[in-house]
Amino acid sequence: MLLLYEQEMNEQEFMKAYDSYADALFRHCYFRLYDRERAKDLVQDAFMKAWEYIAKGREVENIRAFLYRILHNLIVDEFRKKKTVSLDELYEKGIDIPTREKLDQNDMAEIKNIISIFRKLKPNYGDAVAMRYIDDLTPKEIATITGESENNVSVRINRATAQLRALMKIL
Amino acid sequence: MNDLNKIKNIAEKIKLSPQEKESAKANILNFIRFHPVSKPDTARLLNKGSFFNLFNLNLKPMPAFLSILFILGVSGGASLAAESALPGDLLYPVKVGINEEVRAVVSFSAETKANWDTRRLERRLEEAEKLAHKKEFNAEARANIEKNFEAHAERVEKRITEFESKGKADAAADLSSNFEVSLGAHERILTKIDGEEVNKFLPKVRAKKGSAALLRVKMEARVSDESSTKGKSAAEGRGKSAKHKIVEIKAFIEKIRMRLGAEATADAEARLEEAQKVWAEGKMKVDTKAYGEAFVLFQRAHRIAQEAKLLIEAKSRLDVDFEAHDKDDEDKDDEDIENHSKKNNDREKRPSSNIDAELDVEVESESRIDADDNEAENRGKGNLDIRFDLGL
């Protein structure tokens, strides 16, 4: 009985984490892969991997950061395995924007704009900018996610921000 | 700063649809059901984040997600145990007809589905090898495996042509290349194993490999046909992934070289050298802007590295040695494709080494959950239609 309670409690907590973070994680994944379907798969995988870890009896202090970390590693693997989509191809195949929720022309244009700016950033800057400005993660949190020092992360964010600002001025 | 804040507002428009969110949630929940907490008293999410302090601790009734396995009356334990079943085992139909089918439908992208189809094909070949090695590969098992093997192979071929027709030539080329190398590696392995039924099965595998190679060549030609910008990014991308593959396999060999033994290690390293050589040729082609040729070479480098990995894994699984790497193998294959002639493999018997038959080798290649792990990968379903075929 006690065992069942423990399992259910963890399961409920875990699924609360899903409810809270799935969208943000998906968004993060999308802004790095630009492939909607793959993004969905990776997010699903991340939750499953996170659960496997927890089910082994290991403690997780900050489930949000933990999920981001797993997802980040999956994304890195993805980049290693396949090519990144070029901007031209992206426009050709049509940007994977959710169509169930109707987006007006303005929204579409804005999203395309943001995506094209992001794509112009240097490879490592994209994830720094996404984590800082879209996911609202602190440099410390980003450091635990990517496994770098907080200092490196801060430096990278500053440089990425500078490049981002420059690009936004142009467009 | 204003502009930067705007980014978040705009980006927030990208999100999962309610259906997508629910569908993935159901899959995850089912996954949890089949991966119970193993140490209940120690598994906990610490309450350091204030987020968790807001939880209502009353037990809620089980969510109304229906588990396909629950409906079919298959327990999580059975589903788990089925993963190691072989043809003839009681739970084998659960492995092929339920576990694998369920997993086929819970992924979202065509790519994931295609990868899983290839993996299923490999599983059939691994089963044949295991049985043959134990001298239990009888006519019934062969018929069973052959039937599924053909079905899986057809699905992969179908996906390849689907990618092609959707203009995803390089995804088609990638898939067909992986398809070819899986078949090729397992063909080599099966050749090493004696048996009447193996000898009957082997020609089928060879034939599939032959047609896979033809398909691959065709798809590579498609990629080469494409505009130079597309061709360039395809070549560069494939070059990058081939490079990473080589690095990954090198690390893998380093990790298990002790357990692999001198000969097998030397063989694997020789293959990797070959892969590296081919890769370097590809790089030169990129430099001279011959992107089509570069793509073909990079794919080949990737295949050589992948084959090395598959052979190493087979060795650890079955404790079978393989002949020293013949550097002209791939060239011969290409000639065969042109001549449509059968390739002859030399069969050599080597004394078995001291390595344990079943190694717990951790494969570093993919950090995704996939069937290479020995743990259960049983996934549940959302609210989708499942069609299943109970094998025998």
Side-chain angles (χ1 to χ4, degrees):
Chain A
M1 281 306 126
L2 188 66
L3 304 183
L4 193 61
Y5 177 85
E6 284 277 356
Q7 159 99 355
E8 290 226 22
M9 217 182 85
N10 279 323
E11 187 182 302
Q12 283 181 53
E13 285 177 24
F14 190 76
M15 295 318 288
K16 291 264 186 196
Y18 177 83
D19 289 333
S20 305
Y21 304 131
D23 273 310
L25 288 163
F26 168 73
R27 186 174 306 127
H28 174 87
C29 201
Y30 179 81
F31 275 94
R32 292 181 63 187
L33 297 181
Y34 302 103
D35 183 336
R36 190 183 176 73
E37 301 300 308
R38 282 305 279 164
K40 286 193 287 190
D41 273 326
L42 291 197
V43 170
Q44 193 174 263
D45 282 353
F47 275 98
M48 290 178 183
K49 277 181 160 342
W51 178 260
E52 276 185 317
Y53 188 83
I54 290 168
K56 282 179 187 151
R58 310 214 184 120
E59 292 177 355
V60 177
E61 269 192 36
N62 182 339
I63 186 79
R64 181 177 178 234
F66 186 56
L67 287 163
Y68 267 103
R69 191 193 173 109
I70 295 173
L71 185 62
H72 171 78
N73 287 338
L74 290 172
I75 293 170
V76 167
D77 274 353
E78 187 77 4
F79 280 132
R80 283 195 186 130
K81 272 188 242 168
K82 50 187 265 188
K83 72 185 182 86
T84 49
V85 182
S86 78
L87 194 58
D88 292 325
E89 284 177 52
L90 202 56
Y91 280 132
E92 250 175 75
K93 77 172 184 173
I95 292 179
D96 278 331
I97 295 176
T99 49
R100 284 186 198 276
E101 316 221 347
K102 287 287 174 186
L103 292 176
D104 59 36
Q105 294 273 21
N106 207 31
D107 285 349
M108 292 280 279
E110 282 188 330
I111 292 174
K112 280 188 182 167
N113 196 26
I114 291 293
I115 291 176
S116 71
I117 290 173
F118 265 67
R119 296 296 287 139
K120 290 194 170 96
L121 292 166
K122 281 164 74 168
N124 278 356
Y125 289 2
D127 67 286
V129 161
M131 288 198 233
R132 173 72 184 83
Y133 297 111
I134 296 179
D135 297 298
D136 273 342
L137 293 162
T138 64
K140 189 170 181 191
E141 284 171 327
I142 296 175
T144 47
I145 290 166
T146 60
E148 301 165 281
S149 71
E150 204 179 323
N151 192 45
N152 276 2
V153 169
S154 297
V155 166
R156 204 159 95 242
I157 289 175
N158 289 339
R159 290 184 182 155
T161 306
Q163 195 184 24
L164 188 65
R165 284 219 177 91
L167 287 168
M168 283 178 87
K169 278 205 174 70
I170 294 168
L171 291 150
Chain B
M1 251 322 154
N2 209 7
D3 275 339
L4 296 172
N5 285 338
K6 229 182 131 192
I7 290 176
K8 184 171 180 201
N9 293 336
I10 296 167
E12 265 170 0
K13 299 193 163 115
I14 303 259
K15 56 187 171 198
L16 294 163
S17 71
Q19 292 90 325
E20 288 171 327
K21 200 167 174 184
E22 280 307 298
S23 185
K25 187 172 185 176
N27 294 339
I28 291 163
L29 208 66
N30 276 297
F31 180 82
I32 288 176
R33 293 276 146 76
F34 296 113
H35 287 74
V37 173
S38 53
K39 293 181 194 170
D41 50 332
T42 56
R44 68 181 86 94
L45 297 176
L46 292 184
N47 289 352
K48 296 233 166 138
S50 61
F51 178 69
F52 293 110
N53 287 330
L54 299 175
F55 280 169
N56 177 357
L57 291 185
N58 293 331
L59 293 179
K60 291 196 176 141
M62 190 199 278
F65 297 114
L66 300 176
S67 160
I68 184 78
L69 292 165
F70 182 72
I71 289 173
L72 293 172
V74 177
S75 74
S79 184
L80 225 135
E83 279 301 290
S84 51
L86 293 172
D89 293 346
L90 189 65
L91 290 177
Y92 188 67
V94 174
K95 177 183 183 183
V96 177
I98 297 175
N99 289 356
E100 289 185 1
E101 290 291 340
V102 163
R103 185 155 169 191
V105 298
V106 300
S107 46
F108 294 105
S109 65
E111 185 186 329
T112 312
K113 291 181 195 282
N115 289 343
W116 179 237
D117 283 332
T118 311
R119 186 64 202 122
R120 290 185 79 176
L121 182 93
E122 286 176 344
R123 276 156 75 106
R124 301 294 84 79
L125 294 165
E126 286 164 13
E127 286 159 6
E129 287 154 14
K130 199 156 187 184
L131 281 173
H133 193 240
K134 298 201 292 183
K135 308 242 183 285
E136 290 174 17
F137 193 45
N138 57 30
E140 205 181 327
R142 178 181 64 84
N144 191 351
I145 284 183
E146 239 178 62
K147 183 170 135 231
N148 286 319
F149 169 76
E150 303 274 356
H152 298 325
E154 260 177 58
R155 253 152 96 155
V156 175
E157 283 161 353
K158 193 165 151 238
R159 293 212 187 270
I160 293 170
T161 42
E162 262 171 32
F163 278 139
E164 189 201 356
S165 63
K166 288 191 178 140
K168 294 182 177 177
D170 77 313
D174 187 24
L175 182 58
S176 58
S177 186
N178 291 338
F179 185 43
E180 182 189 351
V181 74
S182 290
L183 289 162
H186 287 285
E187 182 205 351
R188 264 187 217 274
I189 296 162
L190 283 165
T191 307
K192 288 288 162 193
I193 307 174
D194 260 332
E196 189 191 333
E197 297 300 324
V198 177
N199 293 340
K200 291 187 188 160
F201 184 44
L202 205 44
K204 303 270 161 64
V205 179
R206 279 212 182 103
K208 267 303 164 197
K209 188 215 160 187
S211 55
L214 282 166
L215 198 52
R216 186 258 307 164
V217 169
K218 187 174 161 213
M219 293 302 136
E220 283 176 345
R222 284 274 177 286
V223 174
S224 305
D225 281 344
E226 284 171 357
S227 76
S228 112
T229 18
K230 243 185 172 178
K232 179 173 189 242
S233 73
E236 285 175 344
R238 200 46 49 86
K240 198 164 70 129
S241 64
K243 181 103 238 200
H244 279 298
K245 190 82 195 177
I246 293 171
V247 167
E248 165 208 314
I249 308 298
K250 248 194 196 128
F252 181 50
I253 293 171
E254 267 316 301
K255 205 173 168 193
I256 65 166
R257 82 174 28 238
M258 283 307 167
R259 299 204 267 184
L260 208 52
E263 273 180 279
T265 304
D267 182 58
E269 283 175 338
R271 283 175 201 276
L272 276 198
E273 260 180 59
E274 173 73 12
Q276 185 64 43
K277 201 180 100 189
V278 173
W279 189 89
E281 283 174 41
K283 180 79 173 43
M284 286 194 324
K285 293 290 178 185
V286 168
D287 293 340
T288 58
K289 300 199 199 293
Y291 298 123
E293 289 175 62
F295 184 82
V296 171
L297 285 163
F298 287 141
Q299 289 237 118
R300 193 165 134 187
H302 193 279
R303 277 199 301 280
I304 297 171
Q306 178 67 2
E307 192 185 49
K309 176 186 151 197
L310 291 173
L311 293 177
I312 291 171
E313 284 175 357
K315 179 169 175 57
S316 67
R317 262 199 323 270
L318 308 167
D319 190 31
V320 177
D321 283 305
F322 300 99
E323 62 208 1
H325 175 61
D326 179 354
K327 287 196 174 163
D328 295 331
D329 276 347
E330 274 260 358
D331 287 331
K332 268 202 215 128
D333 285 349
D334 286 342
E335 270 175 41
D336 287 347
I337 290 165
E338 285 168 30
N339 303 332
H340 290 252
S341 63
K342 232 174 99 172
K343 176 172 156 53
N344 288 323
N345 284 315
D346 289 328
R347 295 179 59 147
E348 269 178 52
K349 283 287 172 197
R350 293 261 188 93
S352 54
S353 69
N354 292 330
I355 299 172
D356 296 337
E358 300 273 275
L359 283 182
D360 225 13
V361 177
E362 209 191 2
V363 179
E364 287 179 43
S365 59
E366 296 159 293
S367 64
R368 298 190 41 166
I369 301 169
D370 75 25
D372 278 337
D373 297 344
N374 280 328
E375 301 164 29
E377 280 80 32
N378 306 309
R379 312 250 182 121
K381 69 141 180 104
N383 38 6
L384 305 158
D385 253 9
I386 310 250
R387 134 196 89 69
F388 56 92
D389 157 29
L390 285 175
L392 243 181

